[in-house]
Amino acid sequence: MNRSEGISYPFVDGAWAKLRDAIAAAFEARSRALAIRELQRLSNRTLRDIGLERADISHAVHKGRLPWS
Amino acid sequence: MVVIRPLRVQDAQAFRAFVERLSPESRYGRFQYVVKEVSPALLRLLVEADPRTHVALVALHAGQVVGEGRYVRTDGGAEFALAVADGWRRRGVGKRLLQALIASARRDGLRRLDGEVLAWNQAMLGFVEQAGFTVHEHPEDARLLRIALAL
C-alpha cells in the first residue's frame, strides 16, 4: 500500500505554500539585511553620490528605493 | 580625443573598470572609503542614478572611461564629486568635466556647487581653488575640507 494514501493533498499544498512563503520572506529579509550592511559600509560621500543620507538607509531599503529591494 | 557626455547604463562595465583601475589613493580620494571592488549593486546605484536629482558625466577615450564627475542636487545647490584616471591627470580632463558640471548646474538654476575634499588631497584642493572654489574647515570632520563655488 502506498503510504501516501489518505494524505490530504490540499493540506500538503497549503503547508508547502506556507513553507515556500516563509523561505521567500527569509531570503528577502536576508537580502535586505545584506543591502543595509553594504550601504552602511559606504562613506557619507558615496552615500550622497547615490542620493542617500546615512539615516535614510534602512527606510530606503525597506521602501524598495534601491535595486536590492 | 576625449569626449565628455552623460553616463549611460551601457557604460556600467567601463565605469567599473575605471574605478577599479584608479590607484588606491585616488579611489579613496574619490569615494572616501576603502573600495576593494565595486559590487554589482553599488555599480547599479552609481550608473542608474535618478536623473531628477543627479547629473553624472563621464570622460571617454577610445571606449574607456578616463574621468567621472557628478552632482546631486541639494537645497538650492548641489554637491559634486569628480575623479580622473591616474594616467590622465594634468591633461585638462578634470577641468572639462568640472566646466561641464558647472554649465549644467547653471542651466538647472542652481546657486552653488559644494563638495568635500580630503585635507591631504593637495592636488584636488589646488585644482578646485584654481577653478574659483573657496575652501573652508569641515564642521564635523577634521579629515575633510568643505569647498564651495557660487554660481
Side-chain angles (χ1 to χ4, degrees), chain B residues 15-91:
Chain B
F15 181 73
R16 181 209 293 264
F18 162 71
V19 173
E20 293 182 350
R21 273 198 315 270
L22 289 172
S23 66
E25 292 77 17
S26 300
R27 230 178 293 152
Y28 192 83
R30 166 65 183 83
F31 294 101
Q32 298 178 4
Y33 77 109
V34 179
V35 183
K36 289 181 184 155
E37 59 171 6
V38 182
S39 72
L42 178 60
L43 182 68
R44 207 169 149 194
L45 286 169
L46 288 168
V47 173
E48 298 178 29
D50 184 346
R52 291 169 301 181
T53 52
H54 294 62
V55 169
L57 304 174
V58 278
L60 286 156
H61 175 75
Q64 283 198 330
V65 175
V66 297
E68 174 238 0
R70 70 177 65 218
Y71 66 71
V72 182
R73 289 181 188 88
T74 56
D75 292 337
E79 179 145 342
F80 89 104
L82 189 145
V84 175
D86 292 82
W88 282 85
R89 305 270 167 83
R90 298 183 180 279
R91 294 168 73 172

Side-chain angles (χ1 to χ4, degrees), chain B residues 97-119:
Chain B
L97 277 168
L98 184 57
Q99 284 172 342
L101 287 176
I102 290 170
S104 173
R106 284 191 172 130
R107 278 197 305 274
D108 281 350
L110 302 178
R111 296 193 302 272
R112 63 175 203 283
L113 212 49
D114 299 304
E116 287 178 349
V117 180
L118 288 158

